[in-house]
C-alpha cells in the first residue's frame, strides 16, 4: 500500500480496522489484545457504549462554536475537573503539548507580572517528555527531539530526575516554573520519589515559582487515583492532562488555581478548537465513569495482576530485571542482554496478536484499558510470553 504521509513515523505492518473493549481487528481479520491503549489514551477501551452514546448525542446537537462562546459540555467538563482536583480553573486545548505550552506560558506571564522579566527560568528534568512543539521539546529533556530545530527557546535548565540536591541547586529567585512528570512515561515508566516531589513543592513555595505537574500520561485514573499527585500528598499549581482525558477524542486541559489563572487575561492565550463541545461531551462522560471508586479500584487490582504476571514472565525468560510503575502504567525493564531491543520485542508481540509499547530502548510499556478484564489480561500475557520465548530462541 502506498503511504501518503510524511516519513516521521514507522507504521506497523498491519492496518487496524475495528475494535471493541481491549480487542482490535486488522483488515485481514486478525485479532489483537490491546495492552497499549493507543499510548495510554483509550482508558475505557475501544468504542465504550456510553462514549459512543455521548458522541452520537452531541453530534446531533452542536459540534463547534468557536471560543467566542462557551458551551454546556465545556462548562460541565471544567466543573467536573475542578470538583475532583486541586484546581479552580481550566483551560482547554487539543493535545498534551498544547496543554504544556499553555502551562509554561502561564507560568512565565504570571512571573513577569509579579516580579518582572528576570524571573523567567524553567527547571525541567533530563529525559522528560512534554510534547513536540518547539517550546515543549526544548523543555523536554531529550536533545534528540530538539537539537535539529535550533535555535531553541531560552531560559530552560535540566536536572537529573529524582535528584533533589540538583533541584535545590537549580531553583532560585529567577525560576518561574518547575515542571515534572510524576512518572516519566516516554523515557521508561520511572516514578518520581516522594522526596523529589516534596522538595519541588517546597522550593516552588520558597521562590514563588509555579509547580507544574505534567499528568498527560499519568492522569485520569491511569495510576489508580484520578491524578498521580494524589499518591504523594502534595498539590501542583498547574497540572496538564490529555491522552486519557478524551479516551480517544483529541482534547487536553490545563488545570490551575485562582492564584495563577488571572495571568491568562482576555486575549492573552487561545485555541480555535479548545473547548470544542463534541470533544468536551465525550470527555465529560468518560470522566464521570473513570472517577468512580469502582473503576479506580479495578485499576489497582488489574495493575497488581498485570505486574505479577510480568514478573513471572521475567523470572521464566530472564528478560526483565524489574517491573515498575503504578496502576495500569507499567514498565518491564529489560536485562542488559536485551539492551536496545524493546522496539523489536514490540514488533514480535504484535505478530503474536498483542499490542504493547516501548518506552525508550530498554523498557516494555503497558498502558491498557482501565477496564481490562481477566480474560483479556490472561490472553494478552499468554501471547506475550509466547512471543518473547520465540524472540529469545531466534
Ligand atoms: C504524550 C505526552 C505528551 C504529549 O502529548 P501530545 O498529545 O502528543 O502532544 C506530553 N507529556 C507527557 C508526559 C506525555 O506522555
Amino acid at each position: 500500500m502506498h503511504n501518503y504521509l510524511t516519513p516521521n513515523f514507522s507504521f506497523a505492518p498491519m492496518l487496524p480496522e475495528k475494535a471493541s473493549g481491549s480487542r482490535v481487528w486488522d483488515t485481514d481479520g486478525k485479532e489483537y489484545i490491546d495492552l497499549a491503549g493507543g499510548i495510554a489514551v483509550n482508558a475505557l477501551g475501544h468504542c465504550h457504549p456510553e462514549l459512543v452514546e455521548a458522541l452520537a448525542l452531541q453530534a446531533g446537537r452542536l459540534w463547534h462554536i468557536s471560543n467566542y462562546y462557551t458551551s454546556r459540555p465545556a462548562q460541565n467538563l471544567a466543573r467536573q475537573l475542578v470538583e475532583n482536583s486541586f484546581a479552580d480553573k481550566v483551560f482547554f486545548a487539543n493535545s498534551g503539548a498544547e496543554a504544556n505550552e499553555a502551562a509554561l506560558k502561564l507560568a512565565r506571564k504570571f512571573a513577569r507580572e509579579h516580579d518582572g522579566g528576570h524571573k523567567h527560568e524553567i527547571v525541567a528534568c533530563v529525559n522528560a517528555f512534554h510534547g513536540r512543539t518547539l517550546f515543549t521539546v526544548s523543555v523536554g529533556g531529550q536533545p534528540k527531539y530538539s537539537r535539529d530545530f535550533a535555535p531553541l527557546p531560552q531560559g530552560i535548565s535540566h536536572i537529573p530526575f529524582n535528584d533533589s540536591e540538583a533541584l535545590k541547586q537549580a531553583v532560585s529567585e529567577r525560576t518561574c516554573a518547575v515542571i515534572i512528570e510524576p512518572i516519566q512515561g516516554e523515557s521508561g515508566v520511572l516514578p518520581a520519589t516522594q522526596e523529589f516531589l516534596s522538595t519541588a513543592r517546597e522550593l516552588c513555595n520558597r521562590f514563588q515559582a509555579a509547580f507544574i505537574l505534567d499528568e498527560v500520561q499519568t492522569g485520569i485514573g491511569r495510576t489508580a487515583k484520578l491524578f498521580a499527585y494524589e499518591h504523594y500528598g502534595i498539590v501542583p499549581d498547574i497540572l496538564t492532562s490529555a491522552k486519557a482525558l478524551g479516551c480517544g477524542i483529541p482534547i487536553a486541559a490545563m488545570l490551575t488555581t485562582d492564584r495563577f489563572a488571572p495571568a491568562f487575561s482576555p486575549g492573552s492565550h487561545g485555541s480555535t478548537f479548545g473547548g470544542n463541545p463534541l470533544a468536551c461531551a465525550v470527555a465529560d462522560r468518560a470522566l464521570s465513569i473513570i472517577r468512580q471508586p469502582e473503576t479506580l479500584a479495578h485499576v489497582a487490582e488489574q495493575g497488581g495482576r498485570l505486574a505479577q504476571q510480568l514478573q513471572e514472565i521475567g523470572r521464566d525468560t530472564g528478560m526483565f530485571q524489574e517491573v515498575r510503575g503504578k496502576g495500569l502504567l507499567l514498565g518491564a525493564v529489560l536485562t542488559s542482554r536485551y539492551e536496545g531491543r524493546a522496539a523489536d520485542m514490540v514488533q514480535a508481540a504484535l505478530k503474536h496478536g498483542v499490542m504493547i509499547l516501548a518506552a525508550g530502548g530498554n523498557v516494555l510499556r503497558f498502558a491498557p484499558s482501565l477496564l481490562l478484564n481477566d480474560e483479556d489480561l490472561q490472553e494478552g500475557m499468554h501471547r506475550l510470553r509466547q512471543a518473547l520465548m520465540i524472540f529469545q530462541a531466534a
Side-chain angles (χ1 to χ4, degrees):
M1 194 183 56
H2 186 81
N3 177 24
Y4 294 93
L5 305 177
T6 55
N8 50 319
F9 298 105
S10 20
F11 297 115
M14 47 71 92
L15 275 184
E17 188 172 52
K18 59 171 189 165
S20 172
S22 291
R23 306 229 174 189
V24 175
W25 291 268
D26 70 14
T27 44
D28 294 329
K30 179 174 166 175
E31 181 215 72
Y32 303 83
I33 305 283
D34 184 2
L35 301 180
I39 317 188
V41 167
N42 298 312
L44 296 175
H46 295 275
C47 301
H48 188 286
E50 282 207 45
L51 300 191
V52 172
E53 184 196 56
L55 180 65
L57 264 177
Q58 191 60 38
R61 251 177 216 158
L62 177 72
W63 292 25
H64 179 82
I65 194 71
S66 92
N67 44 37
Y68 280 104
Y69 313 90
T70 183
S71 67
R72 213 167 246 159
Q75 291 297 322
N76 288 347
L77 175 59
R79 182 185 353 108
Q80 214 185 161
L81 286 166
V82 164
E83 286 178 354
N84 291 284
S85 74
F86 73 98
D88 306 307
K89 289 285 186 286
V90 177
F91 169 78
F92 287 121
N94 311 289
S95 68
E98 279 183 39
N100 284 327
E101 189 87 21
L104 297 163
K105 284 178 72 178
L106 178 67
R108 280 232 171 125
K109 190 159 182 293
F110 179 88
R112 173 178 294 268
E113 285 171 2
H114 289 78
D115 298 278
H118 71 283
K119 192 176 177 68
H120 68 265
E121 289 178 6
I122 294 161
V123 177
C125 295
V126 173
N127 286 332
F129 184 79
H130 298 301
R132 299 295 200 129
T133 62
L134 194 59
F135 200 0
T136 55
V137 285
S138 305
V139 172
Q142 303 186 68
K144 67 177 179 193
Y145 292 144
S146 59
R147 63 182 165 225
D148 293 341
F149 306 102
L152 303 175
Q154 297 297 295
I156 301 161
S157 62
H158 294 94
I159 54 133
F161 188 64
N162 278 338
D163 187 338
S164 302
E165 282 313 307
L167 191 59
K168 285 179 198 158
Q169 295 300 312
V171 179
S172 74
E173 298 288 353
R174 301 170 63 85
T175 306
C176 71
V178 174
I179 181 167
I180 301 176
E181 295 161 87
I183 300 177
Q184 281 195 332
E186 294 304 310
S187 63
V189 193
L190 192 59
T193 61
Q194 177 70 50
E195 192 202 356
F196 190 56
L197 292 192
S198 298
T199 303
R201 180 65 275 178
E202 273 164 38
L203 290 167
C204 287
N205 289 347
R206 188 178 331 148
F207 293 106
Q208 302 283 302
F211 183 24
I212 304 172
L213 282 178
D214 179 345
E215 293 231 29
V216 168
Q217 188 152 162
T218 56
I220 316 296
R222 178 62 43 200
T223 69
K225 302 262 190 202
L226 190 57
F227 294 106
Y229 74 78
E230 298 168 40
H231 291 285
Y232 293 90
I234 48 122
V235 293
D237 300 303
I238 303 174
L239 177 148
T240 53
S241 176
K243 292 203 165 97
L245 180 60
C247 287
I249 276 275
I251 182 171
M254 181 202 71
L255 281 57
T256 190
T257 60
D258 279 334
R259 177 165 166 243
F260 284 86
F264 267 1
S265 50
S268 60
H269 189 59
S271 162
T272 292
F273 291 122
N276 172 280
L278 199 60
C280 287
V282 175
D284 186 50
R285 185 76 72 93
L287 189 59
S288 68
I289 300 170
I290 292 171
R291 70 180 171 81
Q292 295 307 318
E294 309 86 80
T295 311
L296 297 174
H298 184 79
V299 177
E301 196 173 320
Q302 298 305 69
R305 287 206 178 116
L306 184 59
Q308 192 191 335
Q309 299 248 354
L310 288 171
Q311 265 148 8
E312 280 168 23
I313 293 176
R315 207 173 311 131
D316 297 346
T317 60
M319 292 171 111
F320 307 154
Q321 51 170 297
E322 187 194 354
V323 175
R324 64 193 181 197
K326 280 196 173 81
L328 282 169
L329 180 58
L330 294 173
V333 186
L334 304 178
T335 48
S336 57
R337 187 150 175 247
Y338 295 96
E339 212 174 282
R341 304 296 305 278
D344 298 334
M345 292 183 189
V346 169
Q347 291 294 321
L350 189 71
K351 243 181 165 170
H352 279 80
V354 56
M355 296 165 141
I356 63 170
L357 299 162
N362 305 321
V363 178
L364 301 183
R365 177 172 38 154
F366 301 82
S369 165
L370 305 183
L371 304 180
L372 181 69
N373 64 30
D374 288 335
E375 192 191 334
D376 293 341
L377 193 161
Q378 296 301 342
E379 181 59 22
M381 286 297 101
H382 173 70
R383 293 183 192 181
L384 180 67
R385 180 184 283 267
Q386 304 265 274
L388 292 180
M389 280 164 67
I390 290 169
F391 181 88
Q392 195 166 39

